[in-house]
Amino acid sequence: MLSAMRSSRRQRQGEFPPAPEPLPVPVIDSHTHLDITVAEEGAPGGVDEFVALAATAGVDRLVQVGVDVESSRWGVEVAARHPAIVATVALHPNEAPRLGDLDEALRVIEGLAADERVRGIGETGMDTFRTGDEGRTAQETSFRAHIAIAKRHGKPLVIHDRDAHADVLRVLDEEGAPETVVLHCFSGDADFAAECVRRGYLLSFAGTVTFASAVALRDAARVTPIKQMLVETDAPYLTPMPYRGRPNASYLIPLTVRGLAEATGADLDELCAEISATGDRVFGPW
């Protein structure tokens, strides 16, 4: 899975964008892939470079997200070395159908989940865009197992949902959701957002909220209480406007936060403060 994500580099053109104006109140990047980001062309300084750049932009805490056994192990290791970073561990929903031994991979994830620097289980979930009918059973089995891991360890569940809104809610309802659920890179409309809000889930908005075509997503943001909002990069993907198509990194979060404030009419300082507090409540303390 990780190699497949890295191969999408061809879809992003150019160098990392210049740093935007810093935020007035520091916030969290609730979902980033530093292992992939540091491998991008133009990132010779590695993790240290991106942590420092993020801090100067007002992004002082980062959640490194696992998508397979390799990246989950890497995340635990880097979080142990960097006070600004915590990790999540999981098998991406598109990874599960590809594994020769899903049960063994899940046992590794369960073991990693016990680490103190692991603050969430994800990204897991459902994806009917890239996984066809032949892989759905393994994908759903993996999702259900991750829900159980999150509940056993008392850690937030971080969900990847692509073209699978109804299935995600169905499985969560059937299994019983963990106390804290984060919809990573929220991609639904206002009706789906309202369903998630009603269930008490948190909606994490990425750079997509700034895209001109994302009218439905901005509508969803407007029905989401700011106490149930997080913000993320999903770096190196989903770079906010005006740099869509170029590599993304945590220091670009201010563009997304300002876009979210504009879309919702929220005061920027208040929005930042609420996102920061929610990040600490969900993933902290750092």
Side-chain angles (χ1 to χ4, degrees), residues 17-258:
E21 180 183 353
L23 291 169
V25 178
V27 302
I28 173 181
D29 181 352
S30 73
H31 193 114
T32 188
H33 301 283
L34 281 163
D35 47 340
I36 306 173
T37 304
V38 298
E40 295 285 342
E41 182 180 354
V47 172
D48 291 344
E49 175 184 353
F50 283 105
V51 170
L53 279 171
T56 61
V59 184
D60 61 353
R61 288 149 291 159
L62 287 70
V63 181
Q64 162 64 24
V65 174
V67 296
D68 56 16
V69 167
E70 177 189 1
S71 63
S72 294
R73 283 176 170 151
W74 186 91
V76 174
E77 293 169 2
V78 79
R81 298 195 305 269
H82 288 268
I85 301 171
V86 295
T88 72
V89 298
L91 309 175
H92 192 284
N94 292 326
E95 174 75 355
R98 301 187 177 102
L99 292 171
D101 192 340
L102 176 59
D103 288 341
E104 175 58 25
L106 287 167
R107 280 193 288 272
V108 174
I109 296 301
E110 175 104 46
L112 293 171
D115 193 280
E116 190 276 332
R117 296 298 289 171
V118 171
R119 303 298 176 78
I121 307 303
E123 57 186 287
T124 182
M126 301 287 288
D127 186 323
T128 63
F129 180 78
R130 295 195 183 279
T131 294
D133 292 342
E134 71 284 352
R136 299 279 169 76
T137 298
Q139 189 177 88
E140 186 167 321
T141 297
S142 179
F143 185 25
R144 291 178 187 273
H146 282 82
I147 293 171
I149 291 170
K151 289 196 287 189
R152 280 195 293 272
H153 290 270
K155 296 185 177 182
L157 185 72
V158 179
I159 291 180
H160 171 105
D161 163 27
R162 187 164 187 185
D163 294 352
H165 303 333
D167 282 335
V168 164
L169 293 184
R170 172 182 59 81
V171 173
L172 285 170
D173 288 347
E174 290 173 359
E175 293 294 320
E179 182 177 350
T180 303
V181 173
V182 179
L183 274 294
H184 138 66
C185 188
F186 186 80
S187 60
D189 60 12
D191 289 341
F192 182 57
E195 276 296 307
C196 294
V197 166
R198 184 177 64 81
R199 287 170 163 82
Y201 302 161
L202 300 167
L203 281 54
S204 184
F205 292 92
T208 44
V209 78
T210 69
F211 296 176
S213 59
V215 176
L217 187 54
R218 288 187 286 276
D219 289 342
R222 280 190 280 271
V223 303
T224 305
I226 60 174
K227 290 184 180 295
Q228 287 176 253
M229 282 184 181
L230 285 167
V231 68
E232 65 176 79
T233 53
D234 198 23
Y237 315 105
L238 307 181
T239 311
M241 295 297 291
Y243 303 111
R244 184 179 182 180
R246 291 170 66 174
N248 198 8
S250 297
Y251 72 91
L252 295 170
I253 278 274
L255 297 171
T256 300
V257 175
R258 287 188 167 91

